[in-house]
Amino acid sequence: MLGKYDLSTIWQFMLDRVDEITELTLEHIGVVLLSLAFASIIGVGIGLLVWNKPVSRSFAVASTGVILTIPSMALLAMMIPVFGLGWVPTVIALSLYSLLPIVRNTVVGLREVSPAVMESATGMGMSKFRVLMQVQFPIAWPVILTGLRVATQLAVGIAAIAAYVAGPGLGEYIFKGLSMLGAIHALNFALVGTLLIVIIALTFDAIFILISRYTTSKGIRA
Amino acid sequence: MPNSNTTSGASIELLNVTKQYPNQDQAAVENFSMKINPGELIMLVGPSGCGKTTTMKMINRIIEPTSGSITIDGEDVLSLDQNTLRRRIGYVIQQIGLFPHMTIAENVSVVPKLLGWSKEKTAARVEELLSVVELDPKTFLNRYPKQLSGGQQQRVGVARALAADPPVMLMDEPFGATDPITREKLQAEFLRLQESIGKTIVFVTHDFDEAIKLGDRIAVLGPKSKIEQFDTPAKILANPASTYVSSFIGEGAALKRLALLLVGNTKMGAASKAHAKAGTVKVSDNLREALDRIVLAGGNTIGVQDASGAAVGSLSIEQISEALGADVSALGK
């Protein structure tokens, strides 16, 4: 019963399990970073390929959007027969969910570059590839980075559900807590899992602010 | 200031150049032919939509011609690699298009870097060019475009186009987006610059007064880039080839012509103190300015001074009219 819950027990609870909690936290961070790495390469790659092709562009944004509407529990469950349990289905699912913000922001960012800037770049004798990589991409970078940031927040949250397929991370504590509701420590498990996920999310956000500061040209910083 | 080893202009020849867009009944540019001499500043003037910009952009193949040939110094433009070609042609557009994420120095270095110049050579060239367009290198090298005013940005645009010392420059209404005072200043600077570098320049504008002020020759264009008249500003003003051209010149053709004539080249009367009292002009002033002074002097004859301020003659309203008349008959031959 909630009425009986004593918040002070949480410290002792955490101290008793400090090794396990550290491991789960690192796993959680690891699975997010790994998924994000895949999603960035694929998502930014798709964005670079389709930004100027209306049909492929709509298809890419729409289909990554559809993925995001699949309930995470369902997507994970669907992966079990193919990929089994653990890290593999988790990383695949998280990568898929992260695609939409990354693809969309890459496309939007590249398309927002002023036509005059593109024309003068072309007029000076830059090849299409050079214009894309040396002019468009750096100008679009803050927008693309925002996409990565949103994708990271999304992945940190959804990673908790990966415990459902025996995936890595703090979701394990939340599920454990929920399954033993009423028992001693049930709430401690759920609370510790949730709080640490929030802290991870906030830390990632802070890191992104720093990255954005140091990788965006002064000339286009707001 | 500009050095002596500047590459001067190349000749350009367009022959029966046509641009036909698919799904359009009418050609955007039809059978356009023009010969441009090395070092000439050619103005393409016409109303919006007449195809003047399309014509210019076919020279660096931002727009590919449908048919016809374009040569620069006898070399066929259409057979060259696009990017190689463009690195040899300076390009300035109205919206300037500076790269916002690069400093001024980086912006100006773009083409030298593409051409593989050494760091030292590029840096020296960038400093030289900023001085040429009257921007202090120390102040501006490390600034970003957004920290500059419109006029300063346009100067950087010109410097960037001149970076690799191209023989040909294409300019698409480069001063169109600036306020009138800045525009006059940029135009005057640009004329002075062109005097020392002698590039072959194709300059697109819809402003006939700008064309008169800057152009060695002006091509007045009608629909589909048809050349209505192609001649020096003075001759177009004196003898417009058609009513279309006259309508483009607008009111005050005589006054515009006066602006092209210098007091020093006009037949003057004898110098006298009385005339000088009414008002004075310098030999380097134009007749439009002289007329202005005469009107303010109540129509009286005014004195003319040389650069040092010494009286060298006098100028009456009759002499100004005569200068226009004489000019016309001289052109008739």
Side-chain angles (χ1 to χ4, degrees):
Chain A
M1 280 298 152
L2 278 178
K4 286 185 197 161
Y5 180 67
D6 180 1
L7 193 63
S8 63
T9 62
I10 201 168
W11 298 114
Q12 193 54 49
F13 172 85
M14 283 170 79
L15 285 175
D16 291 345
R17 294 167 182 78
V18 71
D19 287 344
E20 193 184 32
I21 291 173
T22 309
E23 196 189 325
L24 289 178
T25 306
L26 290 177
E27 273 180 15
H28 205 98
I29 294 170
V31 81
V32 168
L33 285 178
L34 191 61
S35 311
L36 203 70
F38 284 125
S40 314
I41 294 167
I42 299 168
V44 174
I46 292 176
L48 288 171
L49 287 175
V50 304
W51 73 274
N52 58 348
K53 303 178 186 77
V55 178
S56 330
R57 182 174 69 220
S58 309
F59 180 74
V61 173
S63 50
T64 50
V66 166
I67 295 174
L68 206 55
T69 64
I70 305 174
S72 36
M73 211 72 120
L75 185 67
L76 286 164
M78 282 191 293
M79 287 195 180
I80 296 173
V82 193
F83 301 108
L85 298 169
W87 279 73
V88 179
T90 310
V91 169
I92 293 175
L94 290 184
S95 304
L96 285 174
Y97 280 126
S98 305
L99 279 179
L100 174 70
I102 298 176
V103 171
R104 202 186 46 198
N105 279 41
T106 306
V107 166
V108 168
L110 292 174
R111 273 162 59 83
E112 265 177 2
V113 177
S114 126
V117 167
M118 310 264 294
E119 188 184 324
S120 65
T122 310
M124 282 191 282
M126 285 189 173
S127 64
K128 275 197 178 133
F129 183 71
R130 230 183 243 278
V131 175
L132 185 62
M133 298 317 288
Q134 291 183 359
V135 177
Q136 269 185 292
F137 194 82
I139 295 174
W141 177 242
V143 182
I144 296 173
L145 203 61
T146 303
L148 294 175
R149 190 170 155 187
V150 172
T152 310
Q153 299 299 308
L154 210 62
V156 170
I158 296 177
I161 298 165
Y164 178 67
V165 288
L170 290 159
E172 192 183 319
Y173 262 34
I174 298 175
F175 272 80
K176 200 185 243 175
L178 292 178
S179 67
M180 55 192 270
L181 220 57
I184 183 168
H185 288 327
L187 211 53
N188 280 338
F189 274 113
L191 265 181
V192 168
T194 310
L195 278 174
L196 285 174
I197 286 174
V198 171
I199 291 170
I200 292 173
L202 291 174
T203 311
F204 268 123
D205 226 32
I207 292 171
F208 266 104
I209 291 171
L210 285 177
I211 294 178
S212 172
R213 207 193 203 101
Y214 287 107
T215 57
T216 305
S217 154
K218 254 202 226 159
I220 51 175
R221 230 180 273 163
Chain B
M1 286 315 287
N3 50 9
S4 50
N5 53 18
T6 299
T7 310
S8 52
S11 64
I12 306 175
E13 187 169 0
L14 296 98
L15 194 65
N16 296 324
V17 175
T18 296
K19 177 65 192 179
Q20 171 78 54
Y21 285 103
N23 312 323
Q24 275 181 13
D25 318 335
Q26 294 221 324
V29 175
E30 201 169 66
N31 276 325
F32 185 94
S33 297
M34 178 179 274
K35 254 187 165 169
I36 301 169
N37 300 319
E40 251 189 324
L41 205 176
I42 297 295
M43 309 294 291
L44 303 182
V45 202
S48 32
C50 74
K52 55 189 189 297
T53 300
T54 308
T55 306
M56 186 199 79
K57 286 183 180 177
M58 285 193 281
I59 298 174
N60 66 350
R61 291 171 64 194
I62 290 285
I63 296 173
E64 289 283 348
T66 313
S67 63
S69 80
I70 301 172
T71 56
I72 295 180
D73 263 351
E75 197 172 5
D76 179 14
V77 161
L78 298 174
S79 67
L80 283 171
D81 170 65
Q82 278 185 349
N83 294 326
T84 314
L85 167 76
R86 288 174 189 151
R87 290 170 199 178
R88 303 206 302 235
I89 300 179
Y91 190 48
V92 186
I93 57 179
Q94 183 182 342
Q95 311 88 323
I96 317 174
L98 293 182
F99 301 148
H101 61 299
M102 295 185 185
T103 62
I104 301 311
E106 289 166 338
N107 264 285
V108 179
S109 316
V110 169
V111 181
K113 267 190 195 151
L114 287 173
L115 294 172
W117 288 18
S118 72
K119 264 191 183 160
E120 297 73 29
K121 189 179 170 192
T122 307
R125 178 67 178 159
V126 170
E127 286 209 18
E128 181 196 345
L129 277 168
L130 286 185
S131 309
V132 165
V133 296
E134 305 198 344
L135 292 173
D136 175 35
K138 259 192 226 136
T139 317
F140 288 96
L141 275 176
N142 295 316
R143 290 211 183 159
Y144 286 92
K146 71 171 181 190
Q147 298 168 299
L148 271 59
S149 71
Q152 289 168 337
Q153 289 191 20
Q154 196 50 273
R155 288 194 180 98
V156 176
V158 172
R160 182 171 71 168
L162 285 169
D165 198 16
V168 174
M169 298 264 285
L170 304 179
M171 309 183 84
D172 187 4
E173 306 212 22
F175 310 135
T178 45
D179 63 86
I181 295 172
T182 310
R183 189 181 318 151
E184 286 231 349
K185 212 172 153 215
L186 288 173
Q187 286 171 340
E189 277 174 22
F190 174 67
L191 265 187
R192 219 173 327 122
L193 177 63
Q194 167 64 357
E195 249 170 52
S196 58
I197 58 179
K199 303 288 180 195
T200 307
I201 300 175
V202 179
F203 191 120
V204 165
T205 181
H206 62 261
D207 177 357
F208 194 75
D209 292 319
E210 180 170 69
I212 297 172
K213 196 166 175 187
L214 301 180
D216 292 324
R217 283 195 289 167
I218 300 174
V220 182
L221 304 179
K224 294 192 268 183
S225 219
K226 179 175 178 262
I227 300 178
E228 298 285 340
Q229 190 168 9
F230 184 34
D231 217 326
T232 62
K235 287 187 189 173
I236 290 182
L237 285 171
N239 294 309
S242 62
T243 49
Y244 179 86
V245 177
S246 318
S247 74
F248 219 87
I249 294 170
E251 298 291 316
L255 285 175
K256 288 174 187 173
R257 283 172 62 205
L258 286 179
L260 296 172
L261 300 171
L262 290 182
V263 170
N265 300 334
T266 312
K267 215 170 79 186
M268 290 182 276
S272 89
K273 274 193 180 150
H275 296 326
K277 225 176 195 177
T280 56
V281 283
K282 295 249 185 297
V283 285
S284 57
D285 289 336
N286 64 48
L287 288 184
R288 188 173 177 158
E289 289 162 324
L291 182 65
D292 189 74
R293 225 59 55 80
I294 289 175
V295 170
L296 288 176
N300 290 317
T301 303
I302 55 169
V304 179
Q305 299 176 337
D306 64 12
S308 65
V312 292
S314 65
L315 202 58
S316 67
I317 196 148
E318 289 79 12
Q319 281 159 333
I320 289 182
S321 310
E322 203 184 314
L324 272 187
D327 199 35
V328 174
S329 63
L331 293 171
K333 282 169 198 167

